[in-house]
Amino acid sequence: MIVWISFLAAIFLFLALDLGVFNKTPHIISTKEASKWTAIWVMMSFLFSGVIYWLYSNNYVANPDGLKPAAASIKYITGYLIELSLSVDNIFVIAIIFAAFKIPQKYQHRVLFWGILGAIVFRGLMIYFGVFLINKFTWTAYVFGAFLIFTAMKMLFTNEDEKFEPKKSFVYKALRKIIPVTSHIEGEHFFVKRRHITAATPLFVALIVIEVMDVVFAMDSVPAILAITSDPFLVFSSNIFAILGLRSMYFFLANMLERFSYLEYSLIAILTFVGLKMLLHDLFEVPEWASLAFIAISLLIGIVVSLQLSKEKNS
C-alpha cells in the first residue's frame, strides 16, 4: 500500500502544482509549450518503466502474477502504448466538444485539468472491477476479447459522415433537465448566480460531456490493457500516465488532427490483436516482446502513412 499511496500522492502533487503554479493564470497553450510538456510526459512515462523494474526486483509491490522485473517493465510499456494510442480518439472528440460549446482556448486547460481528476477516479474503479472479474471469472477474458474485436470492426465499417454532436447527446439533454444552463462564458467559472439561481456555464457542460465520453472510451481501453496484464499496479500506472499526457498532447495535436487521419487503422489493428490475444490465450501465449513490437510497429506505420499522404495531399 505504501507504493500505491506514494504513487497517488506524487500524481496529485504534480496536478496541484500544474493548476496552482504552472497554469495559475488562464492562457492559450502554444504549440511550443504543448510540445514541451508532451515530451516531458512521454519521457517520464518511459522512465517510470525503470521504477517498475526496481519495484518488482525488490518485491516492494504486490506481484500476483509472479512477474520477473523485465517482464513487468515490458508489460507496463506495452500497456502505456495501448492507452496512449487509444487516447487519439479522445483528442478528436474533445476538439469537437470544445468547438460545439465555443470554449475559448485559454480556458480549455482548466476543463481538461478537472476532467483528468474525474478520469483518474473512474478509470481506477473500472480497472478494479475489470481485474476482479478476470481473476474471479476466467470466462470474462473471452467476453472482453470479443468486445474488443467487435469495437475494431465497428470502427472499420462505421460511416465517416456519422459525427458526434455534443449538443444532441443524451448527456447534454439530461444535464439541462437537472440544472439551468447558461450559454454565456463567465471567465473560468463553472457556475454563475443568475437571479438567485445557480446556473452551469458552457465550461461545466463541456467538462461533464468530456467526462462521460472518457468513461465510454475506457470501455475499450481498460479491456485492451487487461489483455496484456491483469496486474493492478501495472494496469493503473500505465493508464494514469497516458491520461496525464493527454492534455498536452491535445494542445499539441489540436491543429494537426487531420494529418493523422490514417492512425485510426493502427488502432483497429491494435484492438483486433489484443482481442484475439484474449480469445486465444488458452491455446498459445504471445511473447511480451512480440506484443510490444506489434503495437509499436502499428503506431509507427499509422503515423508515417498519415504524414506521408497528408504531405502528398497538400503538395
Side-chain angles (χ1 to χ4, degrees), residues 54-79:
W54 174 70
L55 290 173
Y56 283 75
S57 294
N58 296 282
N59 296 317
Y60 288 149
V61 67
N63 188 359
D65 297 334
L67 298 173
K68 292 182 178 180
S73 295
I74 292 176
K75 283 179 179 290
Y76 161 79
I77 294 173
T78 306

Side-chain angles (χ1 to χ4, degrees), residues 41-57:
W41 276 115
V42 171
M43 182 181 66
M44 287 178 60
S45 301
F46 278 103
L47 287 176
F48 193 74
S49 64
V51 176
I52 293 289
Y53 187 93
W54 174 70
L55 290 173
Y56 283 75
S57 294

Side-chain angles (χ1 to χ4, degrees), residues 25-266:
T25 304
H27 64 284
I28 296 175
I29 307 294
S30 65
T31 302
K32 182 179 179 181
E33 182 181 354
S35 61
K36 180 185 73 174
W37 280 108
T38 299
I40 288 173
W41 276 115
V42 171
M43 182 181 66
M44 287 178 60
S45 301
F46 278 103
L47 287 176
F48 193 74
S49 64
V51 176
I52 293 289
Y53 187 93
W54 174 70
L55 290 173
Y56 283 75
S57 294
N58 296 282
N59 296 317
Y60 288 149
V61 67
N63 188 359
D65 297 334
L67 298 173
K68 292 182 178 180
S73 295
I74 292 176
K75 283 179 179 290
Y76 161 79
I77 294 173
T78 306
Y80 170 71
L81 288 178
I82 287 177
E83 297 303 312
L84 195 65
S85 60
L86 293 177
S87 294
V88 174
D89 272 355
N90 291 45
I91 293 175
F92 278 92
V93 172
I94 289 170
I96 293 171
I97 294 171
F98 281 151
F101 295 108
K102 297 180 173 61
I103 307 299
Q105 285 186 320
K106 65 179 180 179
Y107 300 134
Q108 290 178 4
H109 177 274
R110 180 177 175 82
V111 175
L112 291 179
F113 172 86
W114 291 106
I116 280 175
L117 284 180
I120 289 175
V121 174
F122 288 120
R123 291 289 180 102
L125 290 172
M126 294 183 74
I127 289 168
Y128 172 80
F129 287 111
V131 170
F132 172 79
L133 287 173
I134 276 197
N135 290 330
K136 189 75 174 177
F137 308 103
T138 54
W139 53 266
T140 54
Y142 298 106
V143 176
F144 287 156
F147 177 73
L148 290 175
I149 293 176
F150 167 77
T151 302
M153 294 303 101
K154 187 178 178 182
M155 288 175 65
L156 182 61
F157 296 108
T158 296
N159 188 346
E160 291 184 0
D161 295 330
E162 295 178 12
K163 294 183 178 179
F164 172 64
E165 298 185 44
K167 289 190 175 181
K168 293 183 179 180
S169 67
F170 169 78
V171 181
Y172 177 67
K173 293 177 181 178
L175 190 62
R176 294 196 67 175
K177 293 179 181 179
I178 298 172
I179 186 173
V181 175
T182 176
S183 59
H184 300 290
I185 301 289
E186 301 287 344
E188 60 180 13
H189 300 294
F190 288 118
F191 298 95
V192 291
K193 285 276 189 178
R194 290 292 172 87
R195 297 180 181 178
H196 308 293
I197 296 176
T198 300
T201 67
L203 263 69
F204 181 75
V205 178
L207 171 63
I208 297 302
V209 177
I210 287 173
E211 205 68 75
V212 173
M213 292 309 299
D214 180 75
V215 172
V216 172
F217 281 114
M219 296 293 289
D220 298 334
S221 63
V222 172
I225 194 173
L226 289 175
I228 303 302
T229 178
S230 59
D231 184 300
F233 187 72
L234 296 180
V235 176
F236 185 72
S237 57
S238 57
N239 249 274
I240 297 306
F241 272 107
I243 292 171
L244 290 172
L246 179 62
R247 288 172 309 159
S248 55
M249 190 181 296
Y250 165 76
F251 291 109
F252 178 61
L253 296 176
N255 299 320
M256 303 185 293
L257 289 177
E258 291 185 1
R259 296 180 62 184
F260 294 93
S261 57
Y262 289 91
L263 193 59
E264 184 175 4
Y265 293 102
S266 295

